[in-house]
Amino acid sequence: MDLEKNKNEDALKLLISRMEQKLERIHLGGGKAKLEKQRAEGKMTARERIDYLLDKDRDRIEIGAFAAHDMYEEHGGCPAAGVVIEIGYVRGRQCILVANDASVKAGAWFPMSGKKNLRAQEIAMENRLPIIYLVDSAGVYLPMQDEIFPDKEHFGRIFRNNAKMSSMGIHQIAAIMGSCVAGGAYLPIMSDEALIVDKTGSIFLAGPYLVKAAIGETVDKETLGGAYTQSEISGVTDYRMPDDQTCLDTIKDLMDKIGHYPKAGFDRVVSRPPLTESSEIYNLIPAESSKPYDTIEVLKALVDDSKITQYKEGYGKTIICAYARIDGWAVGIVANNRQVVKSSKGELQFGGVIYSDSADKAARFVMNCNQKKIPLVFLHDVTGFMVGSRSEHGGIIKDGAKMVNAVSNSTVPKFSIVMGNSFGAGNYAMCGKAYDPRMIVAWPTAKIAVMGGAQAAKTLLQIQVASLKAKGKEISTAEEQKLFNEIKEKYENQTTPYYAASRLWVDAIIDPIETRKWISMGIEAADHAPIERFNVGVMQT
């Protein structure tokens, strides 16, 4: 057994090491040379600006570090989608920071840059968090303008959100620390307060070249929209700053004077560490995702005092529902049980599969947590709902719909951790991205797809072979195996956590021992926003 645990630990630590290596490259943005060029211009880099702003003695989390990973290669790549987003504390106030990375295509907006910025605003609006924009961008990346400019969830939505947040009383501070041009100029000026850095910051609807082309006027950038012009002639900006550091210090001074608002009132006591070391998770998660493991032991490595109170422990055993505390916060946990279990009728049930009884149990538990105002944490390792004639005759669709209904209508904040598989409708029932989790993160062991790679490949292979035969073409066993392997490889690449994170299906890929921090900071953020209370209706039998 110890040998098996060692294998598990080695496999998971290798995945984490690979993840960290990828992050190191992403943190270099457009590369060392471009970062040094920024510094030579008297500017801090995006990550240096965030480091300077955030309180040093407090936790912080980065959203969307893998956004656009392995995308836009034909355009030279776009690490982290050209924008850095973190949640942390400025003068003790939790907030979200959004910084354009000017080392990546001069901070130009790619399609995923827009999606990532919208995600930051969504987090701010859901949790009523103050948001700080550190603007340094050349505007829309013109070769891809059709994918970023006109649609509902494109560039213009950002400014609409600026207006909505102001009306909601969510404070927005923008610092113009570099270029801010064309439509992008609206973001800082639609914020509540705008700062601009002398000599390096500039803001205008049209730059000198476009002005020359449009109306024939010759004007330099500083005269057109530099700090002096926009602070002392137009009055567009509120604070004129001599350098980056003074600008960031002023933001700190502004932040510590913002008033406080009513909170949701989620229950919290003094935090206590798990009795089981969080690092034990490395031993518990199998190197092979198809193998069963003890999910209860994983939970004990995540919750305070390793103490959980199970709801309906002897019923619907393929889903674990339990009350616990994480970093002092009261939580309701919904986790897929990966062990093979016996149902109340004595029948064997596969681990990681949702059966009718477990779906019914989970739906009722979600309603209970809403009734008691307890945030929900979903831990995914699910291959889907049980299929076959017995399940269909037993009404699996109806019971699955109850669970999806309860999750959809839940008003307490939800947090999703994709530990392993998250397949098909199981992803939906366990509060996948489409079901509005306040945050959703993946471990390096995660897989997100309609179904597993082998299943999908067999299904797609049958379709392709049938199509070839319908055209009168025969295919040998060797050719069929080759085709199967090609389909499986392509499909499995699309199930990786990196594929999901690059498209922001998850907010981050994290080391499992960081899970407590993410959940705790997420609930603290959610506690800023009082929740609307109404009945979480579920279809009855």
Side-chain angles (χ1 to χ4, degrees):
M1 190 62 184
D2 287 342
L3 181 62
E4 188 70 22
K5 284 187 173 182
N6 289 341
K7 279 176 61 179
N8 293 343
E9 182 176 0
D10 289 345
L12 185 45
K13 283 187 173 179
L14 181 60
L15 290 175
I16 292 166
S17 175
R18 288 174 181 165
M19 177 190 74
E20 290 172 344
Q21 288 170 16
K22 290 177 189 288
L23 281 172
E24 283 178 15
R25 291 195 292 273
I26 287 168
H27 289 172
L28 291 174
K32 291 181 179 179
K34 289 186 178 178
L35 295 174
E36 285 304 324
K37 183 181 177 183
Q38 262 190 272
R39 296 183 184 110
E41 293 170 352
K43 297 164 64 175
M44 293 179 178
T45 67
R47 291 184 182 277
E48 287 169 349
R49 288 165 176 167
I50 288 177
D51 287 344
Y52 187 84
L53 259 183
L54 288 177
D55 296 347
K56 302 297 181 287
D57 59 341
R58 302 294 298 271
D59 283 334
R60 55 196 280 189
I61 53 179
E62 182 172 353
I63 304 293
F66 285 101
H69 179 64
D70 283 343
M71 296 173 70
Y72 313 129
E73 294 304 310
E74 68 276 21
H75 297 276
C78 188
V83 60
V84 183
I85 297 173
E86 294 202 29
I87 297 174
Y89 303 84
V90 175
R91 294 280 174 88
R93 297 295 295 269
Q94 194 180 39
C95 57
I96 185 161
L97 282 69
V98 180
N100 298 115
D101 187 349
S103 75
V104 180
K105 301 289 185 184
W109 292 65
F110 282 69
M112 284 305 303
S113 313
K115 186 172 183 179
K116 186 171 174 179
N117 275 268
L118 288 170
R119 176 62 179 139
Q121 291 182 320
E122 180 182 42
I123 291 170
M125 286 190 283
E126 285 182 330
N127 300 291
R128 292 187 170 272
L129 282 184
I131 186 166
I132 299 170
Y133 307 99
L134 307 178
V135 184
D136 194 345
S137 171
V140 166
Y141 184 63
L142 290 177
M144 302 187 75
Q145 64 85 26
D146 61 320
E147 297 181 47
I148 180 65
F149 171 67
D151 209 345
K152 181 179 178 180
E153 299 299 331
H154 283 179
F155 195 53
R157 188 78 171 183
I158 292 165
F159 317 133
R160 174 263 189 194
N161 287 350
N162 287 140
K164 288 287 187 182
M165 281 190 278
S166 285
S167 71
M168 294 167 67
I170 299 168
H171 197 65
Q172 301 170 83
I173 298 173
I176 302 157
M177 309 184 79
S179 295
C180 186
V181 64
Y186 287 107
L187 183 146
I189 307 311
M190 292 189 73
S191 297
D192 299 297
E193 296 181 281
L195 305 87
I196 187 168
V197 179
D198 210 3
K199 306 305 180 191
T200 54
S202 59
I203 178 169
F204 30 63
L205 289 181
Y209 293 119
L210 183 53
V211 168
K212 178 69 173 176
I215 64 173
E217 180 185 359
T218 300
V219 61
D220 64 85
K221 186 168 74 170
E222 198 64 28
T223 303
L224 184 64
Y228 174 79
T229 296
Q230 300 293 24
S231 294
E232 301 187 27
I233 298 176
S234 70
V236 163
T237 56
D238 305 308
Y239 307 90
R240 182 184 175 191
M241 300 285 106
D243 52 42
D244 277 15
Q245 184 173 325
T246 308
C247 180
L248 298 173
D249 284 335
T250 304
I251 291 173
K252 292 180 183 182
D253 290 339
L254 295 172
M255 280 296 298
D256 73 2
K257 296 172 181 66
I258 298 173
H260 294 267
Y261 295 89
K263 295 195 174 184
F266 302 124
D267 189 65
R268 191 180 197 184
V269 298
V270 175
S271 174
R272 299 178 67 88
L275 299 179
T276 301
E277 290 284 340
S278 292
S279 58
E280 276 297 303
I281 294 170
Y282 298 149
N283 300 322
L284 296 168
I285 303 298
E288 296 175 34
S289 62
S290 59
K291 286 189 175 182
Y293 60 88
D294 192 340
T295 308
I296 292 291
E297 291 304 310
V298 174
L299 297 183
K300 286 181 178 179
L302 293 174
V303 306
D304 290 15
D305 280 330
S306 299
K307 183 181 179 182
I308 62 173
T309 303
Q310 284 203 60
Y311 171 78
K312 290 185 181 288
E313 183 177 355
Y315 178 73
K317 295 178 184 178
T318 65
I319 284 185
I320 296 164
C321 297
Y323 298 106
R325 290 190 181 273
I326 293 179
D327 197 26
W329 294 104
V331 295
I333 294 172
V334 181
N336 302 114
N337 187 359
R338 280 303 309 272
Q339 291 187 312
V340 176
V341 297
K342 277 189 177 181
S343 73
S344 54
K345 297 177 182 177
E347 299 165 340
L348 283 180
Q349 294 183 335
F350 298 107
V353 177
I354 302 175
Y355 290 77
S356 284
D357 54 357
S358 48
D360 176 70
K361 173 172 105 173
R364 296 176 188 279
F365 182 72
V366 167
M367 288 190 290
N368 282 350
C369 287
N370 274 265
Q371 183 72 12
K372 296 191 279 189
K373 203 162 74 170
I374 299 174
L376 285 158
V377 176
F378 294 82
L379 292 131
H380 300 218
D381 198 343
V382 58
T383 52
F385 285 87
M386 191 58 192
V387 297
S389 59
R390 178 178 291 185
S391 293
E392 298 294 356
H393 296 170
I396 186 68
I397 295 174
K398 177 189 66 178
D399 290 316
K402 288 181 188 177
M403 184 176 175
V404 171
N405 194 320
V407 172
S408 301
N409 284 308
S410 175
T411 57
V412 295
K414 300 166 290 192
F415 302 87
S416 283
I417 315 296
V418 186
M419 304 187 299
N421 302 318
S422 187
F423 294 160
N427 171 275
Y428 301 161
M430 292 295 293
C431 195
K433 177 69 173 179
Y435 290 80
D436 298 322
R438 294 291 177 97
M439 287 182 188
I440 176 169
V441 298
W443 291 356
T445 45
K447 293 181 180 179
I448 301 172
V450 171
M451 62 182 74
Q455 291 170 297
K458 286 176 184 175
T459 304
L460 292 168
L461 179 66
Q462 288 175 36
I463 294 168
Q464 287 198 28
V465 169
S467 177
L468 289 170
K469 287 181 177 178
K471 295 173 183 176
K473 296 178 182 178
E474 290 298 321
I475 182 169
S476 68
T477 303
E479 289 173 325
E480 193 171 315
Q481 184 61 44
K482 182 172 180 289
L483 187 58
F484 171 80
N485 290 337
E486 288 172 355
I487 295 170
K488 184 170 180 284
E489 183 181 357
K490 181 180 177 182
Y491 188 90
E492 286 191 337
N493 179 59
Q494 296 177 357
T495 71
T496 68
Y498 298 104
Y499 194 90
S502 70
R503 289 153 181 81
L504 287 177
W505 300 345
V506 295
D507 292 315
I509 306 170
I510 66 169
D511 185 328
I513 64 173
E514 296 285 291
T515 303
R516 277 172 58 85
K517 178 176 78 174
W518 274 81
I519 293 170
S520 177
M521 285 189 68
I523 297 175
E524 183 179 350
D527 198 40
H528 289 90
I531 58 176
E532 295 179 18
R533 301 298 305 277
F534 56 85
N535 183 50
V536 181
V538 174
M539 293 180 292
Q540 300 301 310
T541 53

